[in-house]
Amino acid sequence: MKTDTIVLGAGIVGTSIALNLAERGRSVVLVDRRGPGEETSYGNAGLVERASIYPTAFPRSVKALLDVALRRNPGASYHWSALPGLIPWMFAYWRASAPARILDYARVMDSLLVHTVTEHQRLSAASGAGHFFREGGWLKLYRTEGGLASERAEFPLARHYGLTAREVSIHEALELEPSLRPVFTGAVLWSDPHSVSSPGGVTQTYAAHLPQLGGRVLRGDARTLARFCAGWSVKTEEGAVEAPNVVVALGPWAMDVLRPFGVNLPLQVKRGYHMHYRPEGNASLARPILDEEGGYVITPMQGGIRLTTGVEFAGRDAPRSPVQLDQTEILARGLFPLGPRAEAEPWMGSRPAFPDMLPVIGAAPGQKGLWLAIGHQHLGFTLGPITGRLLADMMDGVTPVVDPAPFAATRF
């Protein structure tokens, strides 16, 4: 089977790339070992961010570092066995989290974030996924005055980029979300982001639109990717597929495929867990809620109220250790009337991340026809559609919608 482009990885990023290429008349085959949206793109908090100009940075203060090291921060955990291999990456992450570099991050990320909502809206309208989406932003809660003061410090930069952040009182927060309990000191409503009731459902609906544009979705093993004289080939359940171009959008599994071709990039993972709960009585939520100091998000999903944990530094394939879920569930039950767990086991996924907190989007160094869209860390679902548009621009050789230079793999 011959095609113009093979896209490896049917998460939100790969699916969005395939759609953008197919819209431009390219023949595309989207390949994954599972169905679209069944891996990392399934398990997130369902946010289409517009306001994440501040990254999920590495702790800089001694107190914050000690809180993580001594496991006093419910938003961060680690496996001792993983730390030796992570030290160089974490040092680079720490350096990239310096205050001066955070401003550079904000400038670069805003170039993508300014398109996130509109690009999702475009794909959702074309594919019929609009029923998953809701407006209303998201609400950040703070248990201490110090935490709230840190959030206030972000307001000037937010206003610089045209974002709407408004501090609300406990009373106003409870008017917005009547089922919450007043266990917090204050709150901030970020109005610009949107959210969805099923990120996996959105990805699946986007992928279902691909055949209408002439593309195909096939099951296959990305690790069978091979070079041949005219380009690239990969094995699928329907036989080998050949193309002059291949896009690797495999999230945490990207390096398994790239290393054999000499593409070595500092990609690591931040693991996370989620669980769905039935709300008690008539309790409900209208939007995602971040308990900043509690280290978790609760958000209304089709499967119930989803509790999503923070970061676990561990090997991608290491045994599960959902201690953060157990810890944050206690805090979440104090904030919202969660009923029983709706699943027997928690879901676990891995957020792929580079130490500078920016994704790689563009050509792979030294490999003709090999393209990369990886390392979106906490913003994969948000950035999928704009990544698809940007990479399609680059592959078509037209003026890109966003300056791609900061996302080049050669920066490493």
Side-chain angles (χ1 to χ4, degrees):
M1 186 189 308
K2 296 185 183 298
T3 188
D4 178 74
T5 304
I6 300 166
V7 179
L8 299 177
I12 187 64
V13 175
T15 297
S16 298
I17 292 166
L19 284 174
N20 273 271
L21 291 171
E23 285 175 339
R24 299 169 191 226
R26 289 196 180 219
S27 59
V28 181
V29 175
L30 180 62
V31 178
D32 202 304
R33 64 181 180 181
R34 301 183 65 182
E38 292 185 9
E39 294 281 7
T40 311
S41 295
Y42 168 77
N44 57 78
L47 278 160
V48 179
E49 261 291 13
R50 169 63 188 94
S52 287
I53 53 173
Y54 278 90
T56 305
F58 196 89
R60 299 286 297 184
S61 72
V62 174
K63 180 184 182 303
L65 286 168
L66 284 174
D67 285 344
V68 173
L70 298 176
R71 304 183 189 276
R72 295 191 301 231
N73 181 344
S77 183
Y78 57 89
H79 287 192
W80 281 107
S81 60
L83 294 185
L86 282 171
I87 287 173
W89 183 88
M90 294 181 87
F91 179 66
Y93 183 16
W94 177 82
R95 290 183 61 192
S97 300
R101 296 182 70 176
I102 294 296
L103 296 177
D104 291 335
Y105 173 94
R107 174 181 52 79
V108 170
M109 282 304 300
D110 188 68
S111 70
L112 291 176
L113 290 169
V114 71
H115 299 285
T116 54
V117 172
T118 54
E119 286 303 306
H120 261 290
Q121 287 174 332
R122 186 177 67 82
L123 292 187
S124 67
S127 63
H131 62 285
F132 291 108
F133 287 78
R134 59 185 170 236
E135 298 181 13
W138 70 325
L139 195 63
K140 290 186 177 183
L141 307 181
Y142 291 87
R143 294 173 178 262
T144 67
E145 181 58 37
L148 187 57
S150 296
E151 183 76 353
R152 290 190 193 110
E154 297 185 7
F155 288 179
L157 190 62
R159 295 190 189 100
H160 173 75
Y161 287 107
L163 301 173
T164 304
R166 180 171 67 89
E167 185 174 343
V168 298
S169 66
I170 296 175
H171 176 72
E172 290 175 295
L174 295 179
E175 285 187 332
L176 291 169
E177 297 290 351
S179 297
L180 297 181
R181 297 177 178 127
V183 297
F184 49 95
T185 297
V188 174
L189 177 66
W190 291 83
S191 300
D192 302 285
H194 291 199
S195 61
V196 302
S197 60
S198 174
V202 170
T203 307
Q204 291 160 13
T205 305
Y206 285 0
H209 182 53
L210 185 61
Q212 300 174 38
L213 300 174
R216 299 192 67 184
V217 182
L218 300 178
R219 296 284 183 104
D221 187 345
R223 293 171 298 180
T224 65
L225 183 68
R227 241 315 179 186
F228 71 103
C229 57
W232 302 88
S233 70
V234 68
K235 295 178 182 177
T236 75
E237 291 180 351
E238 297 190 24
V241 180
E242 298 178 351
N245 298 288
V246 62
V247 179
V248 173
L250 291 164
W253 298 277
M255 298 313 300
D256 295 356
V257 171
L258 294 174
R259 285 193 189 97
F261 297 100
V263 180
N264 292 298
L265 298 171
L267 186 73
Q268 294 290 349
V269 301
K270 301 177 179 181
R271 302 203 314 182
Y273 300 83
H274 85 222
M275 173 60 70
H276 290 106
Y277 301 82
R278 300 180 184 88
E280 292 183 345
N282 295 320
S284 64
L285 291 175
R287 58 181 58 77
I289 308 294
L290 169 64
D291 182 348
E292 180 71 57
E293 290 151 306
Y296 66 90
V297 174
I298 51 174
T299 186
M301 293 283 182
Q302 288 183 344
I305 302 297
R306 178 179 291 183
L307 189 160
T308 306
T309 69
V311 171
E312 180 184 66
F313 291 105
R316 183 194 65 193
D317 302 321
R320 299 183 180 209
S321 52
V323 292
Q324 284 177 292
L325 182 65
D326 296 335
Q327 293 170 346
T328 55
E329 180 181 305
I330 295 171
L331 296 171
R333 288 187 182 282
L335 174 67
F336 181 87
L338 293 176
R341 291 185 173 189
E343 295 142 335
E345 296 292 334
W347 178 91
M348 187 194 78
S350 297
R351 309 170 181 101
F354 289 107
D356 63 358
M357 299 168 282
L358 298 175
V360 163
I361 306 170
Q367 294 289 340
K368 183 180 178 181
L370 178 60
W371 300 85
L372 309 176
I374 55 177
H376 293 74
Q377 58 160 0
H378 297 264
L379 294 174
F381 185 75
T382 287
L383 296 175
I386 182 56
T387 296
R389 180 178 171 186
L390 172 58
L391 193 66
D393 285 345
M394 297 172 74
M395 294 177 70
D396 274 357
V398 302
T399 302
V401 63
V402 172
D403 179 9
F407 311 108
T410 51
R411 72 183 189 268
F412 297 113

